[in-house]
Amino acid sequence: MPAPFKAAAVQFEPLMFEKERNIAGLLALVGEAAEGGARLIVTPEMGTTGYCWHERAEVAPFVEPIPGPTTERFAALAREKKCFIVVGMPEVDPATDLYYNSAVLIGPEGVVGTHRKTHPYISEPKWAVSGDLGHEVFETEIGRIALLICMDIHFIETARLAGLKGADVICHVSNWLAERTPAPYWINRAFENGCYLIEANRWGLERGVQFSGGSCIIAPDASILAVLDGGDGIATAEIDPAIARARTVWGEPILRQRRPELYRELMTNTFAWNPGDFFRLYGHQPLPEGRQAKVAAAQMHPGDDPRSNLREIGEIARAAAGEGAELVVFPELALTGLTRPSETALEAGSPIFTDLQSLATELKLHLVVGFAERDGALCFNSAILVGPEGALGAYRKIHLTEAEKSWAEPGEAWALFDLPFGRLGLLIGHDMSFPEAGRVLALKGCDLIACPAAIRDRFHAGHEGTSVAQPAPIPTGPDPLHWHQYRVRAGENNCWLAFANVHAPLDGYPGHSGVFGPDTFLFPRQETVVQGNGSYALMTVDTGSLGGPYPTHVVRRKDLVLMRQPHHYRELIAPRAN
């Protein structure tokens, strides 16, 4: 096991057309970090040249092969200081004369490996082609190192590939913009894969584009170990490969709990065609006509008496229905309680479900309610969907925590339902710790994901605010819920997400239930979170289009889902190692 080591994230503002000045500045900052004891030093995306190039001809004087003159200058420093350096630069492949946005890992012995940006942002196609080297993890004397570049990390698949290949640390070089940083996406990718993330972002203004800074080092538990706001500088922290190799989220062995046999959809891209046409092909399961609807995420503290829980569910449902809700989502095990699920578990024919159905019929709304289900000798952690038209079906939790395995069996199938306003998918609690789960439902055409949950552990963090100026309406001030894992889950899948968590602060359940919008970077945010001691958050969701054959709303268009590169993702569906 490699020993703990000091790492550094370098923040820097390169200037276009001043390559020598940029390289000299980066070498000085890297040298300073190395003098301070850093063994792994990460610099920003395209740090040698700047980023906002108009076209291939404009960047042509500044591209280089790897290895080449620039990498050799950093290699000389790596040899002298016995460190590893990640450099972001535009690369030319001499064999094809194609250009790439690349990151290169350089060690004391020279170039260790290169990553070419696989998932382009809007600017790369002006001059570069998508990367063709896949997503590798490089074994070094200090640990296992993965490289990702900016937009790559929007896609859950890229960081998951790094985690599955054993990365201790993801070095993410970026020119991140349009939000306050450290970005929630950065935090999620470290957290969901149980590894460190070194974020080297640029700052400053280039061709009218304001970059966000916020370079940082993020621990596997989502803690920000070190961070810069604006300006050139260095953030340093210790990385312990042993912590990363435990691969835990909230103490759960996250990679061992994956269900790759259920992730086959990850190798497809159902949004490569007009989804209106695709999902009605052969007349099979067309998407419902989209429209606006009010959706509520409720929170409560269920006890062990199902009848008492049903009364509270009824009170909240009546209040939400009075405000026009068409769907109310309740927490995990809301009907049967949290403490003795195997004893309070209900069979499918239980009279209490008849009463729940009567409530939905009376109020003319749909209810998603978590409960412990008994089926013969087996128990499941389940959620039922009932509506005015009857019981539509149930979902059995696919990803169980280690504690849940003492009383429940895992489910074996995803659950989707077509409601009058859109396609609904169900997940429960710990399912959402697995980014593959939300992605599969998105690929199946879900407009909305309902997630009954009973999450105790931290899934959110605040931000003190940034001094980096941003154009309105991008927020820069303090935010107590800057990172909310379930907001990220909504945005990365271009789905609405109704997260209904248990609220019992004395027992460690924080609530923070809410309905989150399908576009992470749309400000003001399209979301609502339960405030104070409230019992639900209500949001008008929209799944409709403005007319014509092509969807005009991101929830139906699913831009981020469309931009995936499934040919890179084969390892995600490989059987789990014993």
Side-chain angles (χ1 to χ4, degrees), residues 86-340:
V86 177
V87 179
M89 59 183 287
E91 177 195 4
V92 60
D93 182 347
T96 61
D97 198 36
L98 293 175
Y99 297 170
Y100 297 90
N101 181 342
S102 296
V104 55
L105 175 62
I106 300 165
E109 305 302 320
V111 171
V112 176
T114 301
H115 173 68
R116 293 169 170 169
K117 189 174 184 177
T118 52
H119 295 69
Y121 185 56
I122 191 172
S123 55
E124 268 78 27
K126 290 182 174 290
W127 63 272
V129 298
S130 298
D132 57 358
L133 300 179
H135 303 82
E136 295 303 314
V137 173
F138 303 104
E139 189 87 42
T140 74
E141 64 188 63
I142 62 172
R144 300 169 185 154
I145 299 171
L147 309 179
L148 291 176
I149 303 176
C150 206
M151 189 74 180
D152 286 337
I153 215 163
H154 279 276
F155 302 89
I156 61 101
E157 293 87 353
T158 59
R160 185 60 113 200
L161 287 167
L164 289 171
K165 292 179 179 181
D168 301 318
V169 56
I170 296 171
C171 299
H172 185 231
V173 308
S174 66
N175 280 199
W176 203 269
L177 63 143
E179 73 172 330
R180 181 178 35 205
T181 51
Y185 274 81
W186 307 348
I187 300 169
N188 247 58
R189 298 298 173 253
F191 183 58
E192 69 201 20
N193 290 293
C195 66
Y196 292 88
L197 188 140
I198 303 175
E199 175 62 44
N201 192 31
R202 71 160 291 171
W203 73 286
L205 192 68
E206 184 176 282
R207 284 186 164 161
V209 179
Q210 177 65 59
F211 296 97
S212 299
S215 299
C216 59
I217 300 176
I218 304 170
D221 67 356
S223 300
I224 309 297
L225 301 179
V227 63
L228 290 170
D229 190 29
D232 289 1
I234 304 164
T236 62
E238 182 176 274
I239 284 177
D240 186 350
I243 294 176
R245 294 187 189 185
R247 285 289 179 265
T248 59
V249 173
W250 299 324
E252 301 289 337
I254 200 71
L255 296 189
R256 292 205 307 272
Q257 293 173 344
R258 294 176 71 249
R259 302 289 304 278
E261 70 277 12
L262 299 179
Y263 302 158
R264 304 296 176 191
E265 281 86 359
L266 297 180
M267 293 303 299
T268 69
N269 199 341
T270 52
F271 285 83
W273 290 88
N274 176 9
D277 293 335
F278 178 87
F279 286 104
R280 70 166 65 97
L281 190 63
Y282 316 129
H284 179 63
Q285 295 182 342
L287 291 174
E289 290 297 322
R291 61 170 174 82
Q292 290 188 347
K294 288 186 177 181
V295 172
Q299 58 185 38
M300 55 184 283
H301 184 195
D304 291 330
D305 177 9
R307 282 288 165 191
S308 176
N309 293 333
L310 180 60
R311 283 193 293 273
E312 185 172 0
I313 288 168
E315 292 171 3
I316 296 172
R318 289 179 193 283
E323 293 194 68
E326 293 187 48
L327 171 68
V328 185
V329 183
F330 287 87
E332 185 172 1
L333 301 175
L335 194 56
T336 51
L338 304 170
T339 59
R340 297 185 290 112

